[in-house]
C-alpha cells in the first residue's frame, strides 16, 4: 500500500522553489526565471512511485501585495499550507540566510504541521560561505530537519524526496499513476509563453505581463497544434518593447516558446502571438478572471 499526502513548497521570491519542484518530480511543469513573482498561482507537481504518491504544492514567492493580482497570490500561499502533511520552506543558500528567511520560517513553525527547511543553490555556494549560514538554522525551534540541495546538479534531491515520504499520512491515491500535475495543457502552454517574456524582456515589463490563449486546436490532417495567444501588457509604452524593433522581440519570444511547447506536447506547433494593451489589468477583476486568476474575485 502506498503512502500518500501533500507537501507545500513555500519561500521568498527567487529562492528556487519551482526549480526544486521540477527536480523532485523529474519533469518541468513550473516555469522558471530570475525575475521575482514568476510563479503567480499554486501548481501541483505529482510524484508517484512504487511506495508513495507525493503531491507537491508549489506557491508564489512571498510578497507584499500592491494590487488585486498580489492579493490573489497571497491567498494562494495561505491556501497551500492548509491541510498538508508537511511544509517545506525553501531558502536560497547562495544569497545567505538573514532575518527575512528566518522570519519566513517562523511563519510556519507554529501551525502544528511539520516544517522542513531546504537550502538550495548549494552548487554555486562555497562551503566556507555556506557553513556559517547553516549554523543560523541549527536548533531553530519548530524545524524538523534541514536539507542542502542543488536542483540543477540533482544533488540530494532523491534523499530529500525519500525523507519527505516519512511525513505522508494518507493511503488514498489522489491522482492517476501517470499524472504529473493538476494543470491543463492549455495552462502549461500559457505559462511557457510567459516564461519566455520574463527571460527576454527588461526588468520593468514582466510584472505587468499576462498571457491569454485565444485558440489551441490540434489539426489531425497536419499532425500539429495551432495555437493563437495574446501577450497582455498593462501600459501602452510596454507594447513596443515587447514587439521589439521590426517585431524582432516578439518573434524571438515566439520561437523559444514554440520550442518549449513542442517539447511539452510532443508535437509540432504553429504559434501566433499578439501583443495587447489592457491598462492596469492586475487590478481588473474581469481581466484577472480571463487570464486564469479566477479566485482573485473572491472576497474573504
Amino acid at each position: 500500500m502506498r503512502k500518500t499526502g501533500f507537501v507545500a513548497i513555500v519561500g521568498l521570491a527567487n529562492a528556487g522553489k519551482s526549480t526544486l519542484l521540477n527536480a523532485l518530480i523529474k519533469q518541468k511543469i513550473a516555469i522558471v526565471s530570475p525575475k521575482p513573482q514568476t510563479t503567480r498561482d499554486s501548481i501541483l507537481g505529482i510524484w508517484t512511485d512504487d511506495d508513495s504518491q507525493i503531491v507537491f504544492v508549489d506557491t508564489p514567492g512571498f510578497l507584499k501585495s500592491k494590487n488585486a493580482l498580489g492579493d490573489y497570490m497571497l491567498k494562494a500561499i495561505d491556501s497551500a499550507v492548509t491541510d498538508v502533511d508537511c511544509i517545506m520552506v525553501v531558502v536560497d543558500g547562495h544569497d545567505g540566510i538573514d532575518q527575512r528567511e528566518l522570519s519566513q520560517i517562523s511563519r510556519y513553525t507554529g501551525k502544528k504541521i511539520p516544517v522542513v527547511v531546504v537550502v538550495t543553490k548549494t552548487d554555486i555556494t562555497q562551503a566556507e560561505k555556506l557553513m556559517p549560514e547553516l549554523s543560523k538554522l541549527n536548533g531553530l525551534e519548530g524545524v524538523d530537519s534541514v536539507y542542502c540541495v542543488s536542483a540543477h546538479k540533482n544533488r540530494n534531491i532523491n534523499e530529500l524526496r525519500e525523507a519527505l515520504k516519512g511525513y505522508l499520512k494518507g493511503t488514498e491515491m489522489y491522482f492517476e499513476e501517470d499524472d504529473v500535475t493538476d494543470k491543463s495543457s492549455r495552462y502549461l502552454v500559457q505559462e511557457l509563453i510567459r516564461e519566455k517574456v520574463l527571460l527576454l524582456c527588461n526588468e520593468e515589463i514582466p510584472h505587468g505581463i499576462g498571457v491569454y490563449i485565444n485558440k489551441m486546436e490540434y489539426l489531425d490532417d497536419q499532425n500539429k497544434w495551432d495555437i493563437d495567444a495574446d501577450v497582455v501588457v498593462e501600459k501602452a509604452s510596454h507594447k513596443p518593447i515587447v514587439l521589439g524593433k521590426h517585431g524582432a522581440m516578439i518573434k524571438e519570444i515566439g520561437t523559444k516558446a514554440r520550442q518549449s511547447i513542442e517539447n511539452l506536447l510532443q508535437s509540432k506547433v504553429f504559434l501566433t502571438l499578439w501583443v495587447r494593451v489592457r491598462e492596469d489589468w492586475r487590478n481588473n477583476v474581469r481581466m484577472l478572471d480571463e487570464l486564469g486568476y479566477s479566485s482573485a474575485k473572491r472576497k474573504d
Side-chain angles (χ1 to χ4, degrees), residues 23 26 150-159 161:
K26 297 186 178 181
S150 167
H152 283 295
K153 299 288 187 180
N154 202 38
R155 186 182 300 154
N156 293 334
I157 296 297
N158 293 337
E159 291 81 357
R161 192 191 306 109

Side-chain angles (χ1 to χ4, degrees), residues 132-257:
E133 298 300 313
L134 292 177
S135 68
K136 300 174 184 178
L137 302 174
N138 289 339
L140 204 59
E141 188 175 353
V143 173
D144 267 36
S145 53
V146 177
Y147 292 89
C148 295
V149 305
S150 167
H152 283 295
K153 299 288 187 180
N154 202 38
R155 186 182 300 154
N156 293 334
I157 296 297
N158 293 337
E159 291 81 357
L160 172 61
R161 192 191 306 109
E162 287 300 311
L164 292 171
K165 292 179 182 181
Y167 297 100
L168 306 180
K169 298 176 182 176
T171 55
E172 174 189 355
M173 289 280 287
Y174 297 100
F175 295 92
E176 298 296 327
E177 290 194 17
D178 57 351
D179 287 343
V180 294
T181 184
D182 64 321
K183 298 298 187 183
S184 66
S185 295
R186 190 184 189 93
Y187 174 92
L188 296 177
V189 166
Q190 175 179 297
E191 285 288 271
L192 285 172
I193 296 169
R194 188 167 66 88
E195 178 185 59
K196 306 315 174 189
V197 181
L198 292 174
L199 291 171
L200 292 169
C201 288
N202 65 31
E203 291 292 336
E204 183 185 6
I205 301 296
H207 299 302
I209 287 291
V211 175
Y212 180 76
I213 305 296
N214 299 308
K215 177 178 69 174
M216 184 171 169
E217 179 183 3
Y218 186 70
L219 306 176
D220 282 304
D221 57 330
Q222 300 179 43
N223 194 30
K224 70 178 181 182
W225 285 91
D226 183 14
I227 301 173
D228 184 289
D230 290 344
V231 176
V232 180
V233 297
E234 63 179 356
K235 294 181 180 179
S237 60
H238 290 172
K239 183 174 181 177
I241 298 173
V242 177
L243 284 172
K245 189 175 182 179
H246 304 304
M249 177 61 77
I250 195 65
K251 182 178 179 180
E252 185 177 5
I253 290 168
T255 297
K256 291 186 180 299

Side-chain angles (χ1 to χ4, degrees), residues 18-300:
S18 296
T19 304
L20 177 59
L21 170 65
N22 292 337
L24 283 165
I25 69 168
K26 297 186 178 181
Q27 291 203 43
K28 179 175 179 177
I29 60 164
I31 66 171
V32 176
S33 91
K35 308 286 174 61
Q37 300 178 31
T38 296
T39 301
R40 288 176 172 168
D41 201 355
S42 291
I43 179 171
L44 301 188
I46 304 157
W47 170 264
T48 305
D49 59 18
D50 290 339
D51 59 3
S52 70
Q53 183 175 85
I54 311 175
V55 183
F56 294 100
V57 189
D58 190 24
T59 64
F62 188 76
L63 73 159
K64 290 184 179 180
S65 176
K66 297 180 180 179
N67 47 49
L69 177 59
D71 293 343
Y72 171 83
M73 292 163 67
L74 287 176
K75 289 177 184 177
I77 300 171
D78 290 340
S79 176
V81 297
T82 303
D83 296 328
V84 294
D85 299 289
C86 177
I87 298 173
M88 188 164 60
V89 184
V90 180
V91 175
D92 183 342
H94 182 61
D95 274 356
I97 300 169
D98 58 22
Q99 190 55 48
R100 291 189 315 150
E101 279 78 15
L102 297 177
S103 296
Q104 180 73 7
I105 295 168
S106 68
R107 286 175 57 86
Y108 302 106
T109 52
K111 290 183 176 293
K112 298 182 180 179
I113 298 172
V115 172
V116 171
V117 176
V118 179
V119 182
T120 61
K121 307 181 185 179
T122 59
D123 57 307
I124 56 173
T125 309
Q126 294 178 333
E128 56 268 27
K129 176 184 175 183
L130 182 61
M131 294 310 294
E133 298 300 313
L134 292 177
S135 68
K136 300 174 184 178
L137 302 174
N138 289 339
L140 204 59
E141 188 175 353
V143 173
D144 267 36
S145 53
V146 177
Y147 292 89
C148 295
V149 305
S150 167
H152 283 295
K153 299 288 187 180
N154 202 38
R155 186 182 300 154
N156 293 334
I157 296 297
N158 293 337
E159 291 81 357
L160 172 61
R161 192 191 306 109
E162 287 300 311
L164 292 171
K165 292 179 182 181
Y167 297 100
L168 306 180
K169 298 176 182 176
T171 55
E172 174 189 355
M173 289 280 287
Y174 297 100
F175 295 92
E176 298 296 327
E177 290 194 17
D178 57 351
D179 287 343
V180 294
T181 184
D182 64 321
K183 298 298 187 183
S184 66
S185 295
R186 190 184 189 93
Y187 174 92
L188 296 177
V189 166
Q190 175 179 297
E191 285 288 271
L192 285 172
I193 296 169
R194 188 167 66 88
E195 178 185 59
K196 306 315 174 189
V197 181
L198 292 174
L199 291 171
L200 292 169
C201 288
N202 65 31
E203 291 292 336
E204 183 185 6
I205 301 296
H207 299 302
I209 287 291
V211 175
Y212 180 76
I213 305 296
N214 299 308
K215 177 178 69 174
M216 184 171 169
E217 179 183 3
Y218 186 70
L219 306 176
D220 282 304
D221 57 330
Q222 300 179 43
N223 194 30
K224 70 178 181 182
W225 285 91
D226 183 14
I227 301 173
D228 184 289
D230 290 344
V231 176
V232 180
V233 297
E234 63 179 356
K235 294 181 180 179
S237 60
H238 290 172
K239 183 174 181 177
I241 298 173
V242 177
L243 284 172
K245 189 175 182 179
H246 304 304
M249 177 61 77
I250 195 65
K251 182 178 179 180
E252 185 177 5
I253 290 168
T255 297
K256 291 186 180 299
R258 178 182 53 78
Q259 292 169 350
S260 292
I261 295 167
E262 287 181 341
N263 186 55
L264 170 73
L265 300 178
Q266 294 295 293
S267 175
K268 289 291 185 182
V269 169
F270 178 74
L271 176 64
T272 304
L273 296 180
W274 309 89
V275 183
R276 312 287 189 192
V277 180
R278 298 291 184 266
E279 296 282 348
D280 197 28
W281 68 264
R282 287 183 291 171
N283 275 313
N284 185 315
V285 172
R286 182 182 63 80
M287 279 298 302
L288 289 170
D289 190 22
E290 288 181 3
L291 291 170
Y293 311 113
S294 57
S295 66
K297 62 188 177 183
R298 292 200 302 261
K299 300 297 183 182
D300 293 339

